[in-house]
Amino acid sequence: MRTRTLTTAALTLLVTGSLLASAGCAKEDDTTDSAAPAKPRSITSVPGCGKGSWTDPSDLAKDRAPARCDKGAPAPRPLAKERSLTIATGTLSAEYVAPLQMALKKGEFKKEGLDVHLKVLPTPDALPLLAKGDIDAQWAAPEAAVMNGITGGFTIKWAAGNFSPDPRSKSGLWAKLKKGESADHVPMAGRKLGTMIGKGSVISYPMGKALKKHGGGLDEIQFQQLGSADVLTALQNGGTDSAWLLDPVWRKVDGDKRYAFLGGQPQGEPLGGLLFGPELLTKDPDAGVALLRAYIRTVNTYFAGDYKADKAFVAELAKLLKTDEAVLRSTPSLRMDWEIRAGTTDRLQAAYEAAGVAKGDRVPEEKAVDRRLYEEAVGHKR
């Protein structure tokens, strides 16, 4: 079996070991090959989902308007028999998980004949379960360990996007300026970078882009893996030279001239979302389309634009996510986006290689991405 070798932090090593061990079992169990062509499915027009419900995947413009249908569309099309689905997620409190949480609260999954359960699972536990069909989907990202699993023979594909940042967001790479430096140019080669995210994460891609603009690279910095509560403290007390700060932590240094924002996730390009396993990709694609239809309808109904402009909705969302309402309002609305851009998995893998965490042939996009089910949900014909 051809495998992809990862040499990253212990977490990614654990994931890789689990994936490769399970891959051997999958081959013995004759798990469906992710490269096997799927049977053609009938695509029909969907009321409320017109021309704007699909955008060309090759459009990487920062100001690209995300795909949208009318409020309440696509309408539910209940399955003939109720289907129970389990979706794994690393957290239930992050804002990017809000569409799933809201879909549950508003009964959008139920309208499709789906009994959906959100299960909090760390990546090392969730990926092997997804590949074996023990869970149906994962709210995550095509990280290095995921690409490794696909190379090893797993039927796992990225089936829908999640979000891209608002232009006003400064979630991303921040550096503490040294004497004589300005935000326009911060020499990064040789500096320490504190992050709670390892090199095998999708964040390596935007992080690498930001570093290159400032005379550095993923192979030229010293990574310091820190806990979520320690990243900002280390940056402020000199324990690290730079840090990747997430929402809403970056607000603590925004406006302070001692720090500079170097760049974040590309605008208009989601880096995560729903990963489907063999259950929804090949065994029961009707349920996969139904799940995406409910997710897309939730975005169109509740997250179509600047949802934080609605104070009542923010209050409802804060309660749902069990977070402070003021904290939620302190950052711009995310641009919820169910589509996947062309070439994203290639760019991610290039970053993993630059970071020195992967070896072997890259996984071609057709083996890692499947846009067909969300296209069917909105009635887009190729």
Side-chain angles (χ1 to χ4, degrees):
M1 183 189 304
R2 181 169 60 90
T3 61
R4 184 183 181 91
T5 303
L6 298 180
T7 56
T8 186
L11 175 62
T12 304
L13 288 172
L14 178 58
V15 175
T16 302
S18 299
L19 286 171
L20 292 177
S22 298
C25 297
K27 290 292 185 180
E28 293 174 5
D29 294 341
D30 196 27
T31 299
T32 303
D33 187 350
S34 61
K39 294 180 180 179
R41 293 176 58 83
S42 176
I43 308 295
T44 59
S45 61
V46 174
C49 292
K51 185 178 179 180
S53 65
W54 180 87
T55 66
D56 185 344
S58 66
D59 185 356
L60 299 177
K62 293 181 179 181
D63 59 351
R64 174 186 65 87
R68 291 290 182 262
C69 299
D70 294 343
K71 183 177 181 179
R77 297 179 60 184
L79 299 172
K81 184 178 180 180
E82 185 177 79
R83 176 78 149 80
S84 178
L85 298 180
T86 299
I87 304 174
T89 176
T91 178
L92 291 174
S93 60
E95 189 176 338
Y96 63 83
V97 189
L100 295 186
Q101 292 273 62
M102 192 61 69
L104 270 179
K105 182 177 186 294
K106 300 294 185 180
E108 299 297 346
F109 294 128
K110 286 288 186 183
K111 294 173 185 176
E112 299 287 350
L114 298 174
D115 180 19
V116 171
H117 305 272
L118 298 182
K119 188 171 185 177
V120 177
L121 282 174
T123 298
D125 296 333
L127 284 176
L129 295 176
L130 177 65
K132 291 187 292 183
D134 291 340
I135 59 174
D136 304 285
Q138 187 173 357
W139 191 251
E143 298 185 344
V146 175
M147 307 310 288
N148 173 76
I150 296 171
T151 300
F154 281 152
T155 303
I156 298 176
K157 288 191 176 184
W158 188 13
N162 51 9
F163 75 94
S164 63
D166 183 279
R168 297 168 293 171
S169 175
K170 294 182 182 179
S171 173
L173 184 59
W174 286 80
K176 194 168 188 177
L177 298 176
K178 297 180 180 180
K179 187 175 181 180
E181 293 179 344
S182 69
D184 295 331
H185 183 65
V186 183
M188 291 297 295
R191 294 201 183 191
K192 293 181 291 184
L193 194 155
T195 175
M196 56 180 285
I197 304 165
K199 291 183 181 181
S201 166
V202 292
I203 298 302
S204 290
Y205 159 42
M207 189 181 293
K209 290 183 65 175
L211 288 169
K212 286 180 181 179
K213 292 179 181 178
H214 295 271
L218 291 169
D219 59 341
E220 299 177 273
I221 59 172
Q222 302 174 46
F223 276 83
Q224 294 176 287
Q225 196 139 3
L226 303 169
S228 59
D230 302 322
V231 176
L232 177 62
T233 302
L235 179 64
Q236 292 175 322
N237 66 19
T240 190
D241 305 306
S242 58
W244 190 270
L245 303 180
L246 303 175
D247 287 335
V249 179
W250 60 268
R251 294 301 300 267
K252 299 288 185 179
V253 294
D254 188 31
D256 189 328
K257 293 182 179 180
R258 295 175 297 173
Y259 303 93
F261 174 59
L262 305 186
Q265 178 180 329
Q267 293 172 26
E269 184 176 14
L271 299 182
L274 280 165
L275 304 180
F276 279 3
E279 291 296 316
L280 299 183
L281 287 171
T282 59
K283 296 181 181 179
D284 194 357
D286 286 345
V289 174
L291 174 60
L292 292 177
R293 194 163 46 236
Y295 164 50
I296 291 170
R297 183 169 60 254
T298 301
V299 171
N300 290 321
T301 304
Y302 304 101
F303 300 93
D306 183 10
Y307 51 90
K308 292 186 181 179
D310 185 336
K311 293 182 179 180
F313 183 71
V314 172
E316 181 180 13
L317 193 58
K319 185 176 181 181
L320 186 65
L321 298 177
K322 298 180 180 178
T323 190
D324 185 85
E325 189 176 336
V327 171
L328 195 59
R329 286 199 308 267
S330 69
T331 56
S333 297
L334 301 178
R335 289 189 169 180
M336 302 302 184
D337 189 349
W338 64 78
E339 293 190 311
I340 300 169
R341 300 295 88 196
T344 296
T345 53
D346 292 331
R347 291 184 285 277
L348 290 172
Q349 291 179 92
Y352 303 150
E353 291 166 3
V357 299
K359 294 181 180 180
D361 296 336
R362 292 186 189 178
V363 177
E365 184 178 87
E366 60 268 22
K367 287 192 68 175
V369 175
D370 193 338
R371 300 180 180 87
R372 293 170 302 172
L373 299 185
Y374 73 66
E375 288 176 340
E376 180 179 336
V378 300
H380 173 72
K381 296 181 181 181
R382 299 191 180 199

